[in-house]
Amino acid sequence: MVFFENVIHILYFVMAGLVGFSMCKSLFRRKKNKGFVFDAMYAYCLIPFLLRVLYIK
């Protein structure tokens, strides 16, 4: 049971990293919607991924 918990934990961090990376990439390579509101939205969506990577709940 502990083994499966560790596997799920590692998969969660991998998925969070991939989603965070794709959001960072799309933040800097946008062709449209380049306003401040969209920058704030991307930052607001990235915060949970950064907190998880830094082990801050």
Side-chain angles (χ1 to χ4, degrees):
M1 190 68 166
V2 175
F3 173 74
F4 290 122
E5 183 179 333
N6 288 334
V7 169
I8 290 170
H9 188 73
I10 290 169
L11 288 175
Y12 175 76
F13 276 103
V14 169
M15 286 187 344
L18 291 175
V19 170
F21 178 73
S22 68
M23 288 183 74
C24 281
K25 187 174 75 172
S26 64
L27 174 64
F28 295 111
R29 293 186 181 178
R30 287 182 289 164
K31 302 285 187 218
K32 57 183 180 177
N33 299 333
K34 293 185 177 184
F36 175 73
V37 173
F38 290 99
D39 290 341
M41 181 200 62
Y42 271 101
Y44 185 73
C45 292
L46 281 173
I47 288 171
F49 298 113
L50 294 175
L51 293 176
R52 290 295 177 189
V53 168
L54 297 173
Y55 290 103
I56 300 173
K57 292 184 180 183

